[in-house]
Amino acid sequence: MPHTPRPSTKSLYTPEERARRDATPWTIVQAILAPLQFFVFAVSLGLVLRYLFTGDGYTAATVSILIKTLILYTIMVTGAIWEKVVFGQYLFAPAFFWEDVFSFAVIALHTGYLWALFTGQSHNLQMFIALAAYTTYVINAGQFLWKLRQARLQAASESAPTGTLAMEQGTP
């Protein structure tokens, strides 16, 4: 599949990439998995904090972390497929390079949690690794939300009459 070089402006997608993004079912998969992952994260964070503050609910916290990790792995695999369809490479496409780099830190910490769980490390160590994983996840989710905002602004600027978007953004 030939790819058009990215314009010199800071466009997130070329017109061809946007068309592929809009046509692939993997975009819908990502749109479903991302909020699901955030919901599971929020519940799990509460359970982890409950365990750390009270000592109660280790099993519930552990199950929630495992579910969060499974969804993370799923969204990473499907996201790589999405990148291949849209940008022609599985990971580290220029438009999402730093988000992918940071995603590997998120995955490494979630995998570190699995190591701690399956090697019988202390419950507190497991939970603190999970908190570190969750901290990186929040940063990474912020990166992707920023890109989503950039994509929406780009789409609005390309469909708005000249000067309209600048006025909407508060720029002269």
Side-chain angles (χ1 to χ4, degrees):
M1 186 180 308
H3 296 286
T4 304
R6 188 161 308 286
S8 61
T9 62
K10 293 206 175 212
S11 294
L12 189 57
Y13 300 101
T14 65
E16 294 82 7
E17 291 166 347
R18 187 178 313 100
R20 287 191 297 271
R21 178 202 69 191
D22 294 346
T24 182
W26 294 109
T27 299
I28 295 168
V29 170
Q30 294 302 104
I32 293 167
L33 287 176
L36 175 64
Q37 180 178 209
F38 187 80
F39 173 76
V40 171
F41 152 76
V43 170
S44 184
L45 178 62
L47 293 170
V48 168
L49 292 173
R50 175 180 172 237
Y51 171 77
L52 288 172
F53 286 120
T54 69
D56 293 332
Y58 170 77
T59 300
T62 299
V63 168
S64 72
I65 298 166
L66 291 172
I67 293 168
K68 164 70 174 72
T69 302
L70 177 64
I71 293 171
L72 172 69
Y73 288 165
T74 302
I75 204 168
M76 186 64 180
V77 169
T78 59
I81 295 167
W82 176 87
E83 255 182 83
K84 175 68 173 170
V85 170
V86 175
F87 297 106
Q89 61 190 75
Y90 282 105
L91 290 169
F92 306 112
F96 287 92
F97 179 84
W98 290 109
E99 291 78 4
D100 289 348
V101 167
F102 210 81
S103 290
F104 276 95
V106 176
I107 288 172
L109 283 164
H110 280 77
T111 304
Y113 167 80
L114 294 176
W115 166 83
L117 175 66
F118 294 128
T119 61
Q121 303 302 309
S122 75
H123 293 176
N124 281 351
L125 178 61
Q126 292 172 31
M127 296 301 148
F128 284 118
I129 293 172
L131 285 179
Y134 286 5
T135 300
T136 59
Y137 162 73
V138 167
I139 294 167
N140 196 225
Q143 288 177 301
F144 281 104
L145 287 172
W146 178 253
K147 285 295 169 113
L148 180 61
R149 176 168 163 62
Q150 286 180 310
R152 287 184 176 166
L153 289 174
Q154 177 186 350
S157 72
E158 291 171 357
S159 65
T162 306
T164 303
L165 186 63
M167 291 187 313
E168 289 174 2
Q169 294 175 341
T171 56

